Amino acid sequence: MKLNLPKYVLAATLIAIGCSTAKQDMVSVKEKQLPIDRKVDSVLNLMTLEEKIGQMNQYNGFWNVTGPAPKDGDAAVKYEHIKKGWVGSMLNVRGVKDVRALQKIAVEESRLGIPVLFGYDVIHGYKTISPIPLAEAASWDMEAIENSAAIAAAESAASGLNWTFAPMVDVTRDARWGRVMEGSGEDTYLGSAIAVARVKGFQGDLGEFNVAACVKHFAGYGFAEAGKDYNTVDVNRSTLHNIIPPPFKAAADAGALTFMNSFNDVDGIPATGNTYLQREVLKKDWNFQGFVVSDWGSMGEMVNHGYAKDLKQAAEFAANAGSDMDMESHGYVMYLAQLVKEGKVSEDKINDAARRILRVKFQLGLFDNPYKYCDEVREKATVGKKEFHDGVLDMAKKSIVLLKNENNLLPLKKQGQKIAVIGALANDKTSPLGSWRIGADDGTAISVMEGLSQYKGNELVYAKGADVALGTPAFTVETKINMTDKSGFEEAVNAAKNADVVVMVLGEHGLQTGEGRSRVNLGLPGVQQELLETVYKANPNIVLVLTNGRPLEIVWADGNIPAIVEAWHLGTESGNAIAQVLYGDYNPSGKLPMSFPRTVGQMPLYYNHKSTGRPYYNGGNSVFWSHYTDESNEALYPFGYGLSYSSFEYNNLKLSNNTLNQNGKITVSVDVKNTSNVNGKEVVQLYLRDLFGSVTRPVRELKGFELVSINAGETKTVSFEIDEKTIEFYTANNKWEAEPGDFKVFVGGDSKASLEAGFTYSK
Ligand code: BGC
């Protein structure tokens, strides 16, 4: 009898269920009933050591599959490795045609035919691009964020991919670091909620429109010293436990299938070779069953770190530390079998890593159908769908933060206005896509000009004014020229003079943030600040639209420009979203997920800092307190801040009880009134301060938030619950627990919330 099952399924199944060939017609049915771990073990039993190690090997795309098979060099070696079953995963191969062609080699030409995982950086959309993750975080809207991740998953899954290297959940406190655009900002609580939303959005029920998530970068990468990418991470015990891990833990608990470790060292041990992080915390304490992939070349980089003496030793350290898959260091494929034979890495560890990787392949259904993601008809019907454009537009509008709106300059009038639109970024169809959108084509975003042009009642005049410093690396000759050219100023001034309102779109180009794009200056790049000040002299009636991937230093603008809109890099529908907000067809409700500094010298800047022993000004001429002599300690715009066309008033903060006992709870309620005549949404935020602890505690910490719609004139009562879990932290006892003591409660519309109450917790 001929069965239509691939040989690997058949063989694995027969072993797993103890079937004889005479029972072949039972196979298909029983195969589906077996628990995944038995299937995994049955496959593992068939594998040689080299094949198991092969699962731990990931290669970058190396060959244009539409051309002939590679015959020499590295490409030929990689090609042979796929045929031998020595490649567990590929990255940067995408599109059904290419994925299918490579999968076919793995499945049909290797001895066991184990399918390959295809990974790609789908960070904020594949072709239809949603706002950069930092912008999405500003929405505080978990449903919208989950939906955005689901759109990204659907498009990538339709394009042959089954694994995204997202979400990035690194807490980030230093805007100099270019990768702040990729995460959820400075807060652990908000970051955890978003991590869960993204994992759910990507993975869904692991159907054909879902992909495996990869939570990264484990751990501490966001604390790169002085914001310089790849730099050393030097964090204290409290930060290492209370601040960095919670979003990772939340993502693991939400069922994320994979993790990625990171480039940096933590307390002197590179994350890729860090046993404590990967084996103790992630796999043991958190019971994570998925696998850990290294970051690109991070295993080999342990040599540069001065931790491993050569690649072979790096492979030994990484494997022993629980880094299951090697992304492009080639250390496992070259040395791991030898290391096992020399007794330096146990075969148990190899089995564990291979088992974890195979399990994910089973969970994704790749053993049932290695071509599950390879349907050209579906690809065509899915990528770029209208409903995806609607989805990313919705997300983009929700991500915008209104920073200032003096004299209600916004929303703009829809009729009879002459509007000067100034700035290179206003007419840019690529920059809004932001960094890390490698699947999307340049020029596919709606520009601000295009968005504003939808409104026909006003006259628009465009002037570039100045270029944004473009390009990467940052210091090219070209960049320097672009950074100093003021020849467009005159045209901009003339346009402004003749206009009722000026809309200036300034900020960073999409590629001025992201990996490797750290900056020491956080002002507007190039001559944009000068352009702003020059135009202001001609016409101060300016709406400044910022498009950027990190908090910027905009003190002058805050002091002079009447209306400021933070529009980040909003993706494919950027210009439409901005226009709808400027014209009031959408009432903004975004709140900053990162503090905006007054000066770069305040970095790292974050609202949940510690109190220190000298937090206050003591009066008189005292300088002996924790402060700067030339700048305030405060952020220009604090974490959680954002305005709306509505205005909200907070009253009646009430606690159901002033004492909290073990297993008890307190209900916190507050009345929020929309005092304007416009319906709107407000993110109501709850902060706690633990007044003393076995280790020093932050001045306040976000512990709850709710995005509520409140109609004009309406009052809504918003409630939060506080229990023991809410006040737990990693104490001096080296565990998470609630410590007895006194707590303050603050509720309001940002991290400066001033309504205050208190309670005492006792066991
Ligand atoms: C980045 C990762 C990314 C990987 C693969 C690395 O440089 O740090 O975040 O997933 O490349 O592209």
Side-chain angles (χ1 to χ4, degrees), residues 346-629:
S346 70
E347 193 157 355
D348 277 357
K349 290 206 169 108
I350 307 295
N351 286 340
D352 179 58
R355 191 177 275 123
R356 288 170 180 276
I357 296 162
L358 293 172
R359 187 183 294 126
V360 168
K361 294 183 177 183
F362 270 109
Q363 285 170 309
L364 284 169
L366 289 174
F367 277 94
D368 292 327
N369 177 12
Y371 303 109
K372 173 177 165 189
Y373 298 89
C374 296
D375 177 339
E376 257 162 330
V377 176
R378 178 150 61 96
E379 182 177 37
K380 232 179 163 163
T382 307
V383 177
K385 257 170 114 161
K386 159 91 173 65
E387 69 181 80
F388 295 164
H389 281 262
D390 295 345
V392 300
L393 173 60
D394 178 61
M395 186 74 251
K397 290 188 281 193
K398 290 175 171 161
S399 304
I400 291 174
V401 185
L402 181 63
L403 295 176
K404 189 175 172 192
N405 192 19
E406 225 167 60
N407 308 325
N408 294 334
L409 179 55
L410 288 173
L412 299 173
K413 297 191 186 75
K414 287 186 177 162
Q415 298 291 332
Q417 301 276 294
K418 192 160 181 185
I419 301 183
V421 184
I422 297 174
L425 291 170
N427 211 15
D428 197 318
K429 291 176 63 59
T430 296
S431 175
L433 299 172
S435 202
W436 276 122
R437 44 81 188 174
I438 50 182
D441 302 315
D442 281 0
T444 50
I446 306 284
S447 71
V448 177
M449 271 304 282
E450 287 172 322
L452 291 175
S453 309
Q454 305 291 314
Y455 291 80
K456 308 284 183 206
N458 290 332
E459 186 191 337
L460 296 182
V461 179
Y462 172 71
K464 180 167 89 171
D467 272 314
V468 187
L470 255 188
T472 166
F475 297 108
T476 58
V477 177
E478 210 182 348
T479 308
K480 283 185 182 150
I481 292 168
N482 286 340
M483 283 176 96
T484 53
D485 181 8
K486 296 186 216 160
S487 58
F489 276 31
E490 197 182 328
E491 188 197 6
V493 165
N494 288 336
K497 269 188 191 151
N498 297 319
D500 299 301
V501 186
V502 184
V503 174
M504 292 192 74
V505 185
L506 305 178
E508 298 175 306
H509 186 273
L511 295 177
Q512 276 170 324
T513 59
E515 186 175 349
R517 275 80 159 194
S518 298
R519 294 177 60 200
V520 292
N521 297 306
L522 293 178
L524 300 168
V527 290
Q528 294 181 94
Q529 178 66 32
E530 219 178 314
L531 175 67
L532 178 62
E533 293 181 27
T534 309
V535 171
Y536 175 79
K537 283 185 202 135
N539 185 347
N541 213 23
I542 296 175
V543 175
L544 172 61
V545 176
L546 293 169
T547 74
N548 45 295
R550 52 155 73 82
L552 293 178
E553 196 186 294
I554 48 161
V555 172
W556 186 89
D558 176 64
N560 294 282
I561 302 299
I564 308 178
V565 175
E566 175 50 76
W568 317 103
H569 296 128
L570 290 178
T572 307
E573 292 289 332
S574 176
N576 286 333
I578 292 169
Q580 289 182 31
V581 165
L582 295 189
Y583 276 109
D585 285 341
Y586 188 85
N587 186 359
S589 57
K591 301 272 190 178
L592 295 178
M594 269 190 99
S595 310
F596 270 44
R598 303 185 62 84
T599 162
V600 67
Q602 295 174 306
M603 291 292 135
L605 180 68
Y606 49 100
Y607 81 95
N608 52 347
H609 57 83
K610 300 287 189 69
S611 165
T612 80
R614 295 193 176 193
Y616 309 115
Y617 172 54
N618 296 324
N621 290 330
S622 172
V623 293
F624 302 112
W625 63 292
S626 179
H627 75 303
Y628 302 105
T629 53

Side-chain angles (χ1 to χ4, degrees), residues 91-92 121 123 165 179 182 216-217 221 230 260 263 295-296 327 436 438 515:
L91 79 151
N92 294 333
D121 290 280
I123 307 299
F165 302 127
R179 298 194 83 166
E182 241 182 286
K216 70 190 189 185
H217 305 84
Y221 188 31
Y230 317 119
M260 184 186 290
F263 293 125
D295 202 345
W296 180 291
M327 182 193 286
W436 276 122
I438 50 182
E515 186 175 349

Side-chain angles (χ1 to χ4, degrees), residues 173-194:
R173 292 170 162 178
D174 194 328
R176 290 173 295 182
W177 193 48
R179 298 194 83 166
V180 303
M181 54 75 48
E182 241 182 286
S184 301
E186 74 191 41
D187 188 64
T188 257
Y189 183 90
L190 176 63
S192 300
I194 293 174

Side-chain angles (χ1 to χ4, degrees), residues 699-731:
V699 293
R700 51 179 71 183
E701 293 175 289
L702 182 72
K703 290 291 181 180
F705 62 88
E706 203 174 321
L707 176 63
V708 267
S709 300
I710 311 180
N711 288 340
E714 189 191 4
T715 299
K716 272 198 175 159
T717 303
V718 178
S719 307
F720 301 96
E721 279 194 352
I722 294 174
D723 60 17
E724 268 192 323
K725 277 257 156 268
T726 322
I727 59 170
E728 278 184 355
F729 70 103
Y730 195 80
T731 68

